[in-house]
């Protein structure tokens, strides 16, 4: 599982990664170790978690000539209010910022010069803008990373990556079709529910694979 848009996955995502997949990957920036919580540290020590350093591991997949066209196309299909920069910078531990180290320098320059993001005054290595824009950038990166990884290692097996998020806006940005770009397959795990109409007393979780692959399907998992 490739979780996005944040480097540190929440508890429910960690549990899903262990139950449904062979492990967890997230996109990280320099200094990522200091931002891992105890649960992430525990699964890393047991070999269930490995970080993805985009600036090192997927440099070719995230060049500006690949990311910027996707981003420009996505921006053209949403309203200006959706990408409006907040009047006040967010607090430093906010999840609505992007570490510059995750991005190609050309992408950083495009976001700043075209007025989509600014540097945080208290931490210039972090960019902030509208939450939807931040999620959009990471969604595109996750899609590019998964596609490149699966092209090299195959879309099945322990090395395959499938994007997953628990943030609704980020999920829709990654799987909704954008003209000229093939969306990646991804998982969205619904809340655990007790359904009295279902012919068992166990709680169920609905897992939906979204994408345009011929292998896309709905799956019901009992736990």
């Amino acid at each position: 599982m490739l979780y996005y848009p944040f480097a540190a996955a929440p508890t429910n995502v960690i549990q899903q990664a262990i139950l449904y997949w062979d492990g967890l990957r997230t996109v990280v920036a320099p200094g990522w170790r200091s931002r891992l919580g105890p649960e992430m540290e525990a699964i890393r020590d047991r070999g269930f978690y490995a970080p993805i350093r985009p600036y090192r591991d997927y440099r070719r997949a995230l060049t500006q000539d690949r990311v910027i066209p996707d981003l420009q196309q996505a921006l053209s299909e949403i309203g200006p209010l959706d990408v409006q920069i907040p009047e006040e910078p967010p607090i430093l531990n906010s999840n609505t910022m992007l570490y510059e180290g995750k991005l190609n320098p050309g992408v950083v320059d495009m976001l700043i010069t075209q007025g989509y993001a600014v540097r945080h005054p208290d931490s210039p290595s972090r960019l902030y803008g509208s939450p939807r824009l931040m999620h959009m950038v990471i969604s595109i990166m996750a899609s590019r990373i998964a596609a490149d990884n699966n092209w090299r290692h195959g879309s099945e097996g322990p090395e395959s990556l499938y994007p997953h998020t628990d943030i609704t806006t980020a999920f829709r940005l990654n799987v909704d079709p954008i003209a000229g770009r093939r969306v990646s397959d991804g998982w969205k795990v619904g809340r655990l529910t007790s359904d009295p109409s279902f012919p068992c007393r166990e709680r169920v979780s609905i897992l939906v694979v979204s994408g345009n692959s011929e292998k896309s399907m709905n799956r019901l998992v009992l736990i």
Side-chain angles (χ1 to χ4, degrees), residues 42-200:
I43 64 172
R44 183 173 72 92
D45 293 342
R46 290 167 174 78
F48 285 105
Y49 170 71
I52 289 177
R53 303 169 179 86
Y55 45 88
R56 189 194 73 176
D57 302 335
Y58 291 90
R59 186 182 301 271
R60 293 182 180 179
L62 300 174
T63 57
Q64 66 185 66
D65 61 316
R66 295 187 178 185
V67 174
I68 288 180
D70 286 352
L71 184 55
Q72 289 175 328
Q73 183 64 53
L75 287 168
S76 71
E77 299 183 14
I78 62 177
L81 293 179
D82 290 323
V83 294
Q84 187 172 0
I85 298 176
E87 294 183 1
E88 297 293 331
I91 58 176
L92 285 179
N93 63 348
S94 170
N95 286 327
T96 60
M97 292 189 292
L98 275 175
Y99 284 88
E100 181 179 3
K102 287 185 176 181
L103 305 174
N104 178 281
V107 177
V108 173
D109 183 66
M110 175 264 187
L111 291 172
I112 293 176
T113 58
Q114 296 191 21
Y116 294 118
V118 295
R119 298 185 185 277
H120 197 288
D122 298 325
S123 181
S125 64
R126 305 183 199 189
L127 306 179
Y128 75 92
S130 74
R132 185 168 188 180
L133 174 66
M134 300 295 101
H135 295 162
M136 179 187 298
V137 175
I138 293 297
S139 297
I140 291 172
M141 291 178 61
S143 179
R144 285 286 180 183
I145 288 171
D148 182 76
N149 177 87
N150 295 344
W151 179 79
R152 289 186 287 140
H153 301 292
S155 59
E156 298 181 1
E159 297 296 324
S160 62
L161 290 178
Y162 287 90
H164 165 80
T165 185
D166 57 340
I167 307 297
T168 301
T169 54
F171 172 75
R172 297 275 22 119
L173 287 166
N174 194 30
V175 301
D176 275 347
I178 295 175
R181 181 173 74 90
R182 183 191 184 279
V183 297
S184 61
D185 300 331
W187 289 89
K188 180 184 180 184
V189 182
R191 292 184 303 172
L192 293 176
T193 60
S194 297
D195 186 352
S197 66
F198 196 79
C200 74

